[in-house]
Amino acid sequence: MKTDIQIAQEAKMLPITEIANTVDLTPDDLELYGKYKAKLSDECMARLASNPDGKLVLVTAINPTPAGEGKTTTSVGLGQAFGKLGKKAVLALREPSLGPCFGIKGGAAGGGYAQVVPMEDLNLHFTGDFHAITSANNLLAALLDNHMQQGNELRIDPRQVVWKRCLDMNDRVLRNIVVGLGSKMDGMVREDHFVITVASEIMAILCLADDMADLKRRLGRIIVAYNFDGEPVTADDLQATGAMAALLKDALKPNMIQTLEHTPALVHGGPFANIAHGCNSVRATKMALKMADIVVTEAGFGADLGAEKFFDIKCRKAGLTPDAVVLVATIRALKYNGGVAKADLSEENLDALQKGIVNLEKHIENLQKFGVPVVVTLNSFVTDTKAETDYVRSFCESRGCTFALSEVWEKGGEGGIALANAVLDVLEHKESHFAPLYADELSLKDKIATIAREIYGAADVTYSPAAEKELARITSLGMGDFPVCMAKTQYSLSDDPKKLGRPEGFTLNVREVYASAGAGFIVAVTGSIMTMPGLPKQPAAFGIDVSDEGVITGLF
């Protein structure tokens, strides 16, 4: 069996100019990064503005397990399948982070015969977007510390600095650090912190900004600290906005690459869904809608995280209306939720399947609350039995969902035709009545409680004293009408990663709250979730290498 990277390296890519031509783009619309990658120019977006929008299909999944669900693989395969059916389809995906690439997951470009390429470029430095975001984030941090060193005219309270540095790598020792050690000329000694780049507010801002003017407005609103009177100090106050925007000028432009079957893919932005809002950029999604009949996009991790944030943050802020949602599950993951050990998932076990399918059931119920038609797909494995598949099919159809098998990992677009036809049938015969879960006017606590009860299944929400105090301050500053971005473990519907299946009646604990004023949402940190992950005992980095001929191995 070939590895993902072997399949990707054997692919015959077309020049990106040819891929762009399939969606009526010209060479003048592209800013080339070699033969197979390009950014889409601002002029391209302006030229496409009058085109009608295509249909928007979201791909999401049940809670991730060690067995793997294949959400990105399904997204890519579905896009390829639409192409085989003669539909003009475009993918709108997120860029991978180096953190999981060298940590646990490995590469994140899809898998098998449903991948976006060039796979190595995408998983590593790509077009430099993440480097630009990291640089802009850390420039703001440097200007902040320099301001305090150079007289502190804004009277910044060093005990109330909230802006953190970032790095696109899993590095737990940087979570809590001390800066300014040494002589007086080395800066003010204070506690500081790092987050992973995908958790930076600048990542969220880039992904939600409509254009350069909007980007600069959002950057300027970033709250970096509070002064001795408890008043917010912003990036505008530090005169940082222009320089940050200059670093992000090219990163703001969506990237175009291709799938193994030459479906155009706009891959841009990459916030994690467990600690951020988990969707690709608004610009990429909107541009894709102007150039395709159908746009396939995805949201990170399980539907309790990525899909909820896609609906309640991205669609709310960008005015997007999704037409259908595909919910990905696997027999193996459902049995894992039913208590089967990873080593035994290949054996037929209908009892465990019946116990674990409650996780899928909850996600179906949650998605239906947003008024969008749901298609459930099983990402097929050779170990799945007919009895297991028939049970899941019957379970889904009895709950008003269309059902289809997906074999895209093994067969590429051909293996996704059943799923593509199911989605097309939904798009043609079922209306989307999309609405966010909660109203803007609800208090922040009521928004958190609504998500906790309606989406997670919690009975109650508790807050640390610090979180209570910060909620009051955020509300007093006029940000009470912002949506809420819940930072929560991806492994469970609850805030405890060990509670599999469909936990109910638990209490969700909010330990920290902070305002992402530029992004336009409030982050509520629950349980033990970390915004700077650590590496495992055996990191994926151990298996990555490059040959004397320059061929990269081990990315997945």
Side-chain angles (χ1 to χ4, degrees):
M1 184 72 70
K2 293 178 181 177
T3 64
D4 290 347
I5 194 169
Q6 287 172 329
I7 293 170
Q9 287 171 341
E10 292 173 2
K12 302 299 182 186
M13 291 183 284
L14 296 178
I16 198 63
T17 50
E18 292 186 30
I19 301 299
N21 186 56
T22 66
V23 285
D24 304 318
L25 300 188
T26 70
D28 288 340
D29 293 320
L30 307 179
E31 297 176 5
L32 298 177
Y33 282 63
K35 289 176 64 177
Y36 305 113
K37 299 173 291 190
K39 281 190 170 289
L40 302 182
S41 67
D42 293 333
E43 293 77 14
C44 174
M45 191 162 205
R47 188 174 66 78
L48 295 175
S50 60
N51 289 1
D53 286 341
K55 299 289 188 179
L56 182 58
V57 178
L58 172 70
V59 178
T60 185
I62 64 173
N63 293 99
T65 70
E69 285 61 63
K71 176 165 47 62
T72 303
T73 302
T74 301
S75 300
V76 176
L78 178 58
Q80 293 180 156
F82 282 134
K84 285 191 172 295
L85 293 174
K87 301 296 181 182
K88 186 187 286 187
V90 171
L91 297 167
L93 307 174
R94 294 173 301 154
E95 301 176 46
S97 163
L98 292 176
C101 184
F102 293 112
I104 294 177
K105 285 179 63 178
Y113 290 91
Q115 296 187 61
V116 283
V117 286
M119 184 256 219
E120 307 98 302
D121 292 12
L122 175 61
N123 278 307
L124 298 177
H125 304 289
F126 200 28
T127 57
D129 293 345
F130 282 25
H131 298 298
I133 291 165
T134 301
S135 297
N137 183 105
N138 294 340
L139 170 63
L140 182 56
L143 291 171
L144 168 64
D145 279 306
N146 184 61
H147 182 90
M148 290 192 289
Q149 172 72 7
Q150 304 289 355
N152 200 6
E153 183 181 342
L154 294 171
R155 300 177 61 249
I156 294 169
D157 184 348
R159 299 162 301 179
Q160 294 193 78
V161 172
V162 295
W163 189 250
K164 300 174 182 178
R165 289 169 161 82
C166 76
L167 183 73
D168 192 35
M169 195 64 63
N170 293 0
D171 195 349
R172 62 171 56 83
V173 301
L174 294 178
R175 289 173 185 160
N176 305 291
I177 61 172
V178 176
V179 296
L181 294 174
S183 71
K184 184 177 180 180
M185 294 304 296
D186 294 322
M188 182 176 291
V189 177
R190 66 177 185 86
E191 183 180 354
D192 202 3
H193 313 271
F194 271 78
V195 298
I196 192 166
T197 295
V198 286
S200 166
E201 185 179 349
I202 303 231
M203 174 66 81
I205 286 172
L206 184 94
C207 288
L208 291 170
D210 286 322
D211 51 30
M212 177 56 73
D214 188 31
L215 178 76
K216 291 174 74 172
R217 281 192 295 269
R218 290 173 178 275
L219 291 172
R221 294 198 303 260
I222 293 172
I223 296 173
V224 297
Y226 294 87
N227 65 19
F228 287 109
D229 298 321
E231 299 165 336
V233 178
T234 67
D236 266 351
D237 294 330
L238 288 171
Q239 302 177 63
T241 304
M244 293 162 67
L247 285 169
L248 296 168
K249 177 179 72 73
D250 292 326
L252 184 60
K253 300 170 184 175
N255 310 293
M256 176 178 275
I257 52 176
Q258 63 191 287
T259 73
L260 294 174
E261 297 178 14
H262 315 307
T263 306
L266 303 192
V267 186
H268 192 221
F272 282 176
N274 55 349
I275 51 183
H277 72 288
C279 309
N280 81 314
S281 76
V282 166
R283 291 194 101 202
T285 302
K286 286 187 172 180
M287 287 186 83
L289 286 167
K290 294 296 184 184
M291 61 179 70
D293 299 326
I294 302 170
V295 173
V296 179
T297 191
E298 66 168 354
F301 292 129
D304 55 319
L305 290 167
E308 185 273 318
K309 294 169 184 179
F310 176 83
F311 293 137
D312 282 327
I313 297 177
K314 181 175 177 176
C315 291
R316 183 196 303 265
K317 292 289 184 181
L320 295 170
T321 302
D323 296 284
V325 57
V326 175
L327 178 58
V328 181
T330 65
I331 296 287
R332 292 160 57 86
L334 294 174
K335 289 190 289 192
Y336 184 84
N337 271 282
V340 175
K342 183 180 177 182
D344 300 325
L345 293 174
S346 298
E347 300 172 14
E348 181 177 282
N349 191 328
L350 286 171
D351 288 340
L353 182 60
Q354 291 167 8
K355 291 176 184 175
I357 205 167
V358 294
N359 186 265
L360 174 62
E361 179 183 46
K362 177 59 175 165
H363 287 296
I364 291 172
E365 292 173 9
N366 287 349
L367 292 171
Q368 289 173 336
K369 291 175 182 177
F370 293 95
V372 183
V374 179
V375 177
V376 177
T377 186
L378 272 182
N379 188 14
S380 179
F381 284 75
V382 293
T383 54
D384 300 345
T385 68
K386 185 177 184 303
E388 291 173 328
T389 301
D390 287 347
Y391 175 76
V392 176
R393 181 190 299 274
S394 174
F395 184 91
C396 295
E397 291 176 347
S398 70
R399 283 155 180 78
C401 295
T402 302
F403 176 88
L405 274 178
S406 170
E407 300 176 289
V408 297
W409 186 90
E410 180 185 3
K411 300 177 182 177
E414 191 68 33
I417 286 178
L419 173 58
N421 278 324
V423 174
L424 288 172
D425 185 66
V426 165
L427 293 176
E428 186 175 344
H429 296 107
K430 292 188 179 181
E431 286 189 22
S432 174
H433 301 285
F434 168 69
L437 186 68
Y438 53 80
D440 291 332
E441 296 74 28
L442 279 184
S443 71
L444 293 173
K445 274 195 166 182
D446 284 342
K447 290 170 184 170
I448 292 170
T450 299
I451 296 170
R453 293 183 179 128
E454 294 292 322
I455 303 299
Y456 305 157
D460 197 13
V461 182
T462 60
Y463 297 87
S464 71
E468 289 270 15
K469 184 177 179 181
E470 193 60 24
L471 277 171
R473 174 158 68 174
I474 288 168
T475 303
S476 71
L477 291 172
M479 292 181 278
D481 61 346
F482 281 14
V484 173
C485 180
M486 302 291 285
K488 181 185 76 69
T489 179
Q490 64 268 35
Y491 298 114
S492 171
L493 285 158
S494 75
D495 57 353
D496 180 352
K498 296 179 181 177
K499 291 181 178 177
L500 302 180
R502 183 177 181 166
E504 293 178 309
F506 59 90
T507 298
L508 185 81
N509 178 251
V510 177
R511 76 168 199 267
E512 180 186 356
V513 174
Y514 59 88
S516 288
F521 54 68
I522 306 304
V523 179
V525 183
T526 69
S528 59
I529 193 72
M530 295 288 181
T531 52
M532 170 54 87
L535 290 169
K537 189 171 183 179
Q538 296 287 324
F542 288 176
I544 297 172
D545 202 353
V546 58
S547 72
D548 293 345
E549 294 73 35
V551 178
I552 294 173
T553 58
L555 265 179
F556 215 54

